Amino acid sequence: MSGEFDSKDGSITQTVWMQETLKELPESFWTQDRKIYYFKTPNDDQLRNGGYYRRTGNFTFVTTPKAGHFIPHDYYDASKAYLDDWVTHLAL
């Protein structure tokens, strides 16, 4: 999970670091289109953009809009929706 505003230059720095570090991920992981993660807010039941993600096997990388390094603080509703989906469905 990475915040859109992490490291003051966006989430691209995390992607570069992961590509250099996580060599076991297939190249197709990095070239696939990111999917949009939608969730409903608990208070008004509106559909919101919770981020953009890629998945391969049991690994998921999600970039969270409206958030920096402290995603649960910056965008609580999205981070709670991630956890709920991972616990309930084992995936986003």
Side-chain angles (χ1 to χ4, degrees):
M1 183 181 328
S2 136
E4 183 178 44
F5 303 120
D6 267 355
S7 300
K8 297 183 183 178
D9 59 353
S11 61
I12 192 67
T13 57
Q14 284 77 22
T15 301
V16 170
W17 175 82
M18 288 189 330
Q19 283 177 311
E20 294 174 359
T21 307
L22 302 175
K23 301 290 187 188
E24 62 275 2
L25 290 175
E27 183 61 33
S28 61
F29 175 79
W30 303 108
T31 58
Q32 69 178 266
D33 291 336
R34 296 186 304 170
K35 297 162 190 68
I36 301 173
Y37 175 75
Y38 291 105
F39 72 99
K40 288 192 175 185
T41 55
N43 297 334
D44 57 13
D45 204 38
Q46 287 190 2
L47 205 57
R48 305 277 182 184
N49 179 346
Y52 310 94
Y53 70 97
R54 293 182 176 115
R55 180 176 45 226
T56 185
N58 65 354
F59 181 78
T60 302
F61 176 56
V62 63
T63 301
T64 307
K66 305 177 187 175
H69 189 70
F70 299 103
I71 294 169
H73 178 270
D74 298 336
Y75 200 6
Y76 174 81
D77 290 338
S79 60
K80 179 162 182 340
Y82 301 153
L83 290 174
D84 289 346
D85 278 351
W86 281 323
V87 168
T88 305
H89 308 291
L90 302 177
L92 289 182

